[in-house]
Amino acid sequence: MGPQVVPVASDSSCPTHADVVIVGGGIIGTSSALYLAERGLKVVLCEKGHIAGEQSSRNWGWCRQAKRDPREFELIREALRLWRGMDAHIGAATGFTTTGILFAANDAKKEASFADWVKEAAGAGIHAEMLSGSRLAEQMPGDTKPPPAALWCASDGRAEPQKAAPAIAEAARKRGAIILTDCAVRGVETGGGKVIAAVTERGRIVTPNVVVAGGAWTRRVLRDVGIDLPQLKVRASVLRTSPVEGGPTPALWDHDFAFRRREDGGYTIANGHVNVVPIVPDSFRFALPFLPALQMEFASLRLRLGPRFVTEWRESAPRPFDQPSVYEAARVLDPAPDQGYLDQAFAALKRRFPAFSGARIVQSWAGFIDATPDAVPVISPADTVSGLIVATGFSGHGFGIGPGAGHLVADLVTGATPIADPAPYRLSRFFDGSRPRPMAGL
């Protein structure tokens, strides 16, 4: 069972026309709806399940610039600016607070890599520094075996994933957006190389613009309009604890665990180095473009053959728009957590920080991360279908960049000056021979 998300009621009626239809009610879709509605467009957001039902409520809650791929520097810098003013902007609580985030450097090679990153980030207006000794101890009191050094970004923060996207969705509705939950978009209708309509289970919505922000489902949606996006799922598991007295305020990533303090006084904890990759039919289709990432992260990835293979093989078959879709059959992806890896992380954390000795696990869950071969998102028009905007592939760090990504989507739809250069996020990079690769050492 997934985390308990603040519920968002659905609007009752499905309109027949809209300026833009958004597929997906996660942090990207709701942020896009907010910024588009604020520009006066008639926006309809369609979510097959409930708002933030999948990865947008299941992530760590980190809003970080630290250790970002340099291709994301400009957009994450703007996203953090939006986060800092979000509660005042929407008149609701997202749980955002500035706490700082640390990444442990446990050897000289990692420390040198982080130091180089600090210099590169400074050129993009992001201040970070390397800490060690007493300065590191100030940020992580009670750590019985601190790392030799750590990357520290004091301006980073956290928000509450179970609250943020619902709050943003309600704000978008107040600005005129229509929010439809339990309403799957069965497909995008096209003609003459452009978007004509979005066909939902509640009816057809004539529109010139569709934003596909469906997370792990985006590849399936795009394939039906002839776009073969290289995207795979990674299963990530998380636990939350009972309240902890005297625990650290900043978030920390280390090899054995990662944690951040929650609003309720507990902590969100994950294994710092293990993610599970289900083997599915697309694993073979995209073996070549994902090979560099697999080689780079092989020690931290666990390949698993299981029921997902058959499930995705069955889901791949096209279906007519007048019949129930695969999205209606799977309202919310709710994979079982990899409890063994979580238990290892929690035990390691308790050994390092005595403050956690009395904490107990309240809940565990897992979610599917939408990964691209270069671990950089796609926020881009589709060259082959006019009016189709793709926002996906955030590769496990979409929550923090979400408001910036939603703003950029609104810029692309309306033709406004973009909040950040969209070139690094172009969809065409996977098809023009540029062979995008993940950045080494991050």
Side-chain angles (χ1 to χ4, degrees):
M1 180 179 177
Q4 299 302 301
V5 182
V6 174
V8 176
S10 178
D11 285 307
S12 58
S13 61
C14 179
T16 58
H17 292 75
D19 294 321
V20 57
V21 173
I22 298 171
V23 182
I27 191 70
I28 311 301
T30 57
S31 296
S32 300
L34 174 67
Y35 295 118
L36 284 164
E38 288 182 339
R39 301 179 196 199
L41 275 69
K42 183 177 181 180
V43 178
V44 180
L45 183 150
C46 297
E47 164 55 47
K48 63 182 175 57
H50 60 269
I51 297 299
E54 295 184 346
Q55 193 57 20
S56 287
S57 66
R58 297 163 185 256
N59 62 83
W60 297 0
W62 291 24
C63 301
R64 66 172 175 90
Q65 300 157 108
K67 216 169 81 69
R68 286 271 176 178
D69 189 300
R71 288 168 285 191
E72 296 180 338
F73 279 165
E74 185 181 17
L75 187 57
I76 189 57
R77 187 189 66 217
E78 294 304 308
L80 262 292
R81 177 181 61 81
L82 294 171
W83 270 119
R84 293 180 193 111
M86 185 62 74
D87 286 12
H89 183 69
I90 66 175
T94 63
F96 179 82
T97 183
T98 300
T99 60
I101 291 178
L102 286 157
F103 280 84
N106 289 298
D107 56 55
K109 182 179 179 181
K110 182 65 73 174
E111 184 175 354
S113 173
F114 285 175
D116 289 341
W117 184 93
V118 167
K119 294 176 184 177
E120 190 165 6
I126 297 172
H127 175 70
E129 57 185 319
M130 299 299 297
L131 299 185
S132 60
S134 61
R135 294 194 65 208
L136 180 54
E138 288 175 8
Q139 301 302 334
M140 284 291 135
D143 189 349
T144 61
K145 192 177 180 181
L151 168 64
W152 168 241
C153 192
S155 58
D156 284 351
R158 65 175 191 248
E160 295 301 326
Q162 291 89 49
K163 294 173 61 174
I168 293 170
E170 293 287 16
R173 175 152 44 202
K174 289 178 181 178
R175 289 154 173 81
I178 294 173
I179 308 295
L180 300 177
T181 60
D182 290 313
C183 181
V185 173
R186 292 176 172 173
V188 180
E189 189 177 328
T190 63
K194 62 183 181 181
V195 168
I196 295 176
V199 181
T200 82
E201 62 180 289
R202 296 196 200 176
R204 182 172 179 265
I205 306 174
V206 175
T207 182
N209 299 292
V210 169
V211 176
V212 183
W217 293 95
T218 301
R219 165 167 165 71
R220 178 66 180 78
V221 176
L222 294 180
R223 196 186 58 191
D224 284 347
V225 293
I227 298 173
D228 197 27
L229 172 70
Q231 179 174 293
L232 294 176
K233 298 178 182 69
V234 176
R235 188 171 72 237
S237 298
V238 179
L239 68 83
R240 68 178 178 93
T241 74
S242 57
V244 175
E245 292 291 335
T249 297
L252 171 68
W253 177 91
D254 208 330
H255 183 267
D256 293 327
F257 54 77
F259 65 75
R260 64 99 179 168
R261 189 172 180 85
R262 298 170 57 88
E263 251 185 351
D264 60 14
Y267 281 75
T268 293
I269 299 168
N271 194 301
H273 70 283
V274 173
N275 285 305
V276 175
V277 181
I279 297 174
V280 296
D282 281 341
S283 302
F284 300 95
R285 178 186 297 272
F286 298 128
L288 186 58
F290 274 92
L291 183 60
L294 179 62
Q295 292 171 328
M296 192 175 298
E297 301 293 337
F298 187 77
S300 66
L301 298 177
R302 303 292 184 268
L303 304 181
R304 294 288 186 269
L305 180 62
R308 278 304 309 171
F309 188 97
V310 175
T311 297
E312 296 201 13
W313 176 71
R314 289 174 175 168
E315 289 175 347
S316 65
R319 299 192 185 186
F321 292 167
D322 61 353
Q323 296 181 13
S325 65
V326 297
Y327 317 114
E328 292 149 75
R331 296 287 182 183
V332 176
L333 282 174
D334 187 24
D338 295 287
Q339 194 63 46
Y341 296 133
L342 291 177
D343 291 342
Q344 291 172 13
F346 196 30
L349 178 60
K350 288 182 174 182
R351 289 193 295 270
R352 282 269 297 272
F353 289 87
F356 288 87
S357 60
R360 60 183 177 84
I361 298 175
V362 174
Q363 188 182 15
S364 302
W365 62 78
F368 281 121
I369 293 169
D370 46 324
T372 60
D374 57 1
V376 172
V378 173
I379 312 169
S380 170
D383 293 341
T384 55
V385 183
S386 177
L388 185 67
I389 304 291
V390 180
T392 192
F394 289 84
S395 303
H397 46 259
F399 182 73
I401 211 169
H407 197 295
L408 181 55
V409 165
D411 297 336
L412 294 173
V413 171
T414 60
T417 301
I419 191 173
D421 182 4
Y425 316 114
R426 68 193 188 282
L427 175 63
S428 61
R429 72 186 190 268
F430 297 115
F431 311 116
D432 62 10
S434 58
R435 296 175 65 86
R437 299 170 63 91
M439 296 294 291
L442 291 180

